[in-house]
């Protein structure tokens, strides 16, 4: 006898809808089940996602066929033949977090397991709109019968529900919830009055109006308040400062992911903008990275990280100063703001060419490097030090307020003489992005990496099928708009990114 998982119907129906796109009417009333106190709501524009997945003619897709074989049953076959029989409206779906009390405090040895499995701080519920309650109910009944389970559907105040092995599925004429929650808590959601629903939150309404393929809305104040309550119960104290709690008051975060032709774009911003800028100004010392630091870096890079942060304030986010070792505090207090790291070349049988530079207040980080690597050979050169051996070495120098560490001898010689590179980052294709206080770039095009490196990394043909899709990854933060953007670009600019990923995944499964 198989264990009935209420998510099974959702899985079968979603796959069926992917294979046979149906025209659905919008059921906005489903959001009325999300309580105001929910700190996180996720939106899924299934109609858009299904269209972009380009699965109309892929009924024989191996990934789906293998997945469906595990589900089995007559109900599965019927839903594949006619997904409208599921009773589900596939226009959109939602997931939301329902905070709950933590009733047990774990021992220190069990903290990781506690976080991940046994006592989650929140419950996550999946919310669907229904086109037909009778069809949805009939499918639930059929699955129960096929699995031979001795459980029955119950009803209370016009809400049908089923609970089995910690999972609950409940539905009325318009909406269905699937969650790992207490049955009584689920039923309370169906009794929510309009004024206690997330739909009355003006900021959520603005987010929902501008949602994309996948959206995440966060009430940041409630999110960290619940997190702080959890910390108090686990550790007996708050890990947040009063300033952090005050800064979060009335703050919301909007994140959206869009599957475009040739790229996947993820954006995240906070509202209200004025309040968000005041908060983030604590963590960014100024608008952009120091151009002088950038001028010592080659313009081309396989990977590049450039940030200008207030390291002292950033450290406070993760605990009080009394909880850090003195060496960590020395490093944090020594950092002035700018930190840039670049991986620029992969010469054969040599160390990769990399450079790291930071603006600093003193020589504490410089001294700490030599202290931590005291067992390595040390050789003083004109203006810089070689630390290490022929297999692993660092070239280190500090001039005025810039600490410079690299594996490229020409670069450090120019740095010690205060000579900028002829082709440097201030003249690179990243010039515009580097005007922001944070930028990350990674070249993901395997064709641009040396063959010996790809051989050494043992990139198998199957994995290469997926990896060969990508061109690069860019992450930026704009201080004026308080907007973070992540763009994953594909080599193929014409086709939709989601369709390309699904096609590559199918080829890998063959």
């Amino acid at each position: 006898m198989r264990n009935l998982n209420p998510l099974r119907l959702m899985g079968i129906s979603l796959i069926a809808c992917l294979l046979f796109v149906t025209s659905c009417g919008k059921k906005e009333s489903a959001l009325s089940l999300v309580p105001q106190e929910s700190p996180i709501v996720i939106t899924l524009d299934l109609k858009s996602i299904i269209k972009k997945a380009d699965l109309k003619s892929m009924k024989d897709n191996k990934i789906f066929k293998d997945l469906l074989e595990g589900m089995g049953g007559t109900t599965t076959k019927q839903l594949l033949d006619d997904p409208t029989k599921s009773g589900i409206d596939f226009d959109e779906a939602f997931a939301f977090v329902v905070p709950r009390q933590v009733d047990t405090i774990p021992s220190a040895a069990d903290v990781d397991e506690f976080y991940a499995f046994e006592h989650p701080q929140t419950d996550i519920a999946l919310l669907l709109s229904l086109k037909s309650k009778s069809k949805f109910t009939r499918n639930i009944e059929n699955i129960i019968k096929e699995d031979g389970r001795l459980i029955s559907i119950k009803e209370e105040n016009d809400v049908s529900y089923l609970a089995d092995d910690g999972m609950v599925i409940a539905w009325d004429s318009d909406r269905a919830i699937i969650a790992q929650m207490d049955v009584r808590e689920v039923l309370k959601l169906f009794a929510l009055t309009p004024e206690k629903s997330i739909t009355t939150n003006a900021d959520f309404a603005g987010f929902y109006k501008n949602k994309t393929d996948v959206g995440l809305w966060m009430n940041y104040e409630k999110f960290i308040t619940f997190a702080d309550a959890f910390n108090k119960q686990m550790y007996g104290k708050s890990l947040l400062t009063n300033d952090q709690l005050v800064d979060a008051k009335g703050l919301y975060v909007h994140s959206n992911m869009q599957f475009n032709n040739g790229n996947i774009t993820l954006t995240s911003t906070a509202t209200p903008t004025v309040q968000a800028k005041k908060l983030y100004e604590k963590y960014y010392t100024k608008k952009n990275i120091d151009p002088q630091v950038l001028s010592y870096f080659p313009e081309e890079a396989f990977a590049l990280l450039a940030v200008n942060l207030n390291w002292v304030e950033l450290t406070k986010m993760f605990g009080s100063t009394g909880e850090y070792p003195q060496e960590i505090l020395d490093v944090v207090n020594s950092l002035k703001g700018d930190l840039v790291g670049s991986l620029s070349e992969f010469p054969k049988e040599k160390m990769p060419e990399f450079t790291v530079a930071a603006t600093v207040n003193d020589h504490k980080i410089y001294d700490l490097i030599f202290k931590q690597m005291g067992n390595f050979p040390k050789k003083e050169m004109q203006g810089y030090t070689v630390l290490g051996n022929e297999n692993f070495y660092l070239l280190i120098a500090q001039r005025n307020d810039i600490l410079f560490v690299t594996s490229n001898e020409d670069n450090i010689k120019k740095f010690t003489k205060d000579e900028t590179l002829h082709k440097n980052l201030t003249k690179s294709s990243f010039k515009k992005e580097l005007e922001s206080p944070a930028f990350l770039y990674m070249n993901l095009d395997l064709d641009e990496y040396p063959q010996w490196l790809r051989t050494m990394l043992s990139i198998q043909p199957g994995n290469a099928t997926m990896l060969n899709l990508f061109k690069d990854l860019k992450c930026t933060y704009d201080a004026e708009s308080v907007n973070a953007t992540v763009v994953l670009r594909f080599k193929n600019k014409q086709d939709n990114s989601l369709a390309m990923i699904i096609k590559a995944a199918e080829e890998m499964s063959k």
Side-chain angles (χ1 to χ4, degrees):
M1 184 186 300
R2 288 185 298 174
N3 176 37
L4 174 65
N5 185 342
L7 282 171
R8 182 178 166 211
L9 176 68
M10 177 58 183
I12 295 170
S13 303
L14 276 178
I15 293 169
C17 191
L18 286 171
L19 298 175
F20 299 92
V21 181
T22 60
S23 176
C24 310
K26 184 173 288 188
K27 289 278 188 177
E28 295 183 0
S29 62
L31 279 172
S32 63
L33 295 185
V34 181
Q36 270 191 346
E37 64 267 22
S38 177
I40 294 177
V41 180
I42 297 172
T43 63
L44 299 170
D45 188 339
L46 295 179
K47 193 172 184 179
S48 174
I49 292 172
I50 291 166
K51 181 179 180 181
K52 292 178 178 181
D54 193 24
L55 294 177
K56 295 180 181 179
S57 60
M58 295 182 68
K59 185 175 181 180
D60 295 328
N61 184 292
K62 187 176 185 302
I63 297 174
F64 292 135
K65 288 179 69 175
D66 291 345
L67 188 58
L68 290 169
E69 283 182 7
M71 296 180 177
T74 304
T75 303
T76 304
K77 296 181 176 61
Q78 291 176 342
L79 290 176
L80 279 173
D81 291 335
D82 185 1
T84 61
K85 292 181 178 178
S86 67
I88 298 174
D89 184 336
F90 290 104
D91 195 16
E92 57 186 347
F94 308 94
F96 59 97
V97 168
V98 184
R100 70 178 177 86
Q101 295 295 319
V102 179
D103 54 6
T104 306
I105 301 177
S107 65
D110 295 331
V111 167
D112 289 340
E113 186 176 3
F114 178 89
Y115 268 119
F117 303 108
E118 293 188 355
H119 296 275
Q121 180 191 353
T122 55
D123 294 308
I124 298 178
L126 179 65
L127 175 61
L128 303 166
S129 293
L130 297 183
K131 296 190 73 174
S132 170
K133 179 181 180 180
S134 60
K135 291 181 180 179
F136 189 79
T137 303
R138 185 161 57 250
N139 280 291
I140 294 291
E141 292 171 337
N142 290 339
I143 290 174
I144 294 173
K145 184 177 180 181
E146 289 172 8
D147 285 350
R149 300 291 291 174
L150 299 177
I151 52 177
S152 59
I153 296 173
K154 299 179 181 179
E155 188 160 334
E156 184 174 318
N157 297 326
D158 296 324
V159 177
S160 302
Y161 66 92
L162 178 69
D164 184 51
D165 290 334
M167 293 294 297
V168 177
I169 182 168
W171 63 100
D172 62 9
S173 59
D174 296 319
R175 307 153 298 182
I177 289 180
I178 301 172
Q180 190 172 357
M181 294 171 57
D182 180 84
V183 174
R184 307 317 306 175
E185 295 301 317
V186 173
L187 293 177
K188 286 180 182 178
L189 296 177
F190 283 88
L192 276 180
T193 55
E195 62 271 14
K196 292 184 179 181
S197 166
I198 198 70
T199 56
T200 60
N201 185 298
D203 187 84
F204 178 82
F207 160 80
Y208 183 68
K209 182 179 179 180
N210 298 298
K211 64 182 176 64
T212 57
D213 294 333
V214 181
L216 185 148
W217 175 88
M218 177 188 292
N219 184 326
Y220 188 64
E221 178 184 358
K222 292 187 180 297
F223 176 78
I224 70 165
T225 298
F226 288 121
D228 192 50
F230 181 71
N231 289 332
K232 288 177 181 177
Q233 199 160 5
M234 275 197 65
Y235 303 108
K237 63 178 181 179
S238 171
L239 298 184
L240 298 171
T241 65
N242 288 332
D243 285 345
Q244 288 172 325
L245 293 170
V246 170
D247 290 338
K249 190 171 182 62
L251 195 65
Y252 300 93
V253 177
H254 300 179
S255 300
N256 282 287
M257 182 167 67
Q258 186 85 11
F259 297 102
N260 305 309
N261 287 352
N263 69 75
I264 298 174
T265 302
L266 174 66
T267 59
S268 184
T269 191
T271 62
T273 304
V274 173
Q275 182 182 345
K277 288 176 71 172
K278 288 182 179 179
L279 174 62
Y280 291 133
E281 282 172 0
K282 288 187 175 183
Y283 306 117
Y284 294 95
T285 59
K286 55 181 182 288
K287 287 182 61 176
N288 60 320
I289 297 96
D290 189 341
Q292 182 183 7
V293 176
L294 298 175
S295 69
Y296 300 122
F297 284 78
E299 67 174 347
E300 299 295 333
F302 284 95
L304 174 66
L305 171 66
V307 295
N308 192 314
L309 300 171
N310 186 327
W311 298 96
V312 174
E313 286 296 329
L314 193 65
T315 304
K316 291 178 182 178
M317 291 181 63
F318 304 99
S320 64
T321 55
E323 296 174 328
Y324 293 98
Q326 188 58 46
E327 286 186 342
I328 297 296
L329 292 177
D330 287 344
V331 170
V332 170
N333 291 323
S334 182
L335 288 169
K336 204 170 186 177
D338 302 284
L339 178 65
V340 182
S342 171
L343 183 61
S344 54
E345 194 56 75
F346 294 96
K348 190 172 184 179
E349 298 179 353
K350 292 183 179 180
M351 279 188 63
E353 289 188 4
F354 70 90
T355 302
V356 179
T359 52
V360 292
N361 294 308
D362 49 45
H363 277 72
K364 288 183 178 178
I365 299 178
Y366 181 88
D367 296 336
L368 182 62
I369 292 174
F370 287 98
K371 179 181 176 181
Q372 294 295 325
M373 300 183 66
N375 294 327
F376 283 83
K378 178 180 176 183
K379 185 178 180 180
E380 295 294 340
M381 306 297 288
Q382 189 172 354
Y384 65 95
T385 303
V386 181
L387 188 60
N389 52 48
E390 61 180 10
N391 296 318
F392 175 81
Y393 56 89
L394 302 176
L395 309 178
I396 307 171
Q398 183 167 334
R399 185 172 52 77
N400 298 325
D401 67 342
I402 300 178
L403 174 64
F404 198 79
V405 182
T406 183
S407 62
N408 186 296
E409 188 174 2
D410 290 336
N411 287 357
I412 201 162
K413 285 181 177 179
K414 285 185 176 294
F415 169 75
T416 58
K417 296 176 182 179
D418 194 17
E419 296 178 2
T420 61
L421 298 181
H422 175 62
K423 295 182 177 180
N424 62 62
L425 283 176
T426 63
K427 304 174 182 179
S428 71
S429 59
F430 306 131
K431 182 178 180 179
K432 183 178 180 180
E433 288 89 345
L434 289 168
E435 292 176 356
S436 66
F439 176 59
L440 170 68
Y441 170 79
M442 293 182 66
N443 185 332
L444 303 177
D445 190 345
L446 292 179
D447 294 334
E448 295 190 16
Y449 286 78
Q451 180 59 47
W452 70 265
L453 179 61
R454 284 180 284 172
T455 301
M456 186 184 73
L457 294 175
S458 300
I459 299 177
Q460 302 298 323
N463 296 331
T465 300
M466 182 67 73
L467 295 175
N468 276 322
L469 293 176
F470 308 122
K471 179 178 178 61
D472 57 31
L473 175 73
K474 288 185 179 182
C475 309
T476 56
Y477 168 72
D478 181 79
E480 290 299 317
S481 62
V482 200
N483 185 31
T485 303
V486 179
V487 180
L488 176 61
R489 295 198 300 174
F490 290 63
K491 295 178 185 178
N492 180 344
K493 299 179 181 180
Q494 305 302 318
D495 297 333
N496 188 271
S497 51
L498 181 58
M500 285 190 279
I501 288 175
I502 292 176
K503 183 177 180 180
E506 184 188 13
E507 290 179 2
M508 289 173 61
S509 68
K510 292 179 180 179

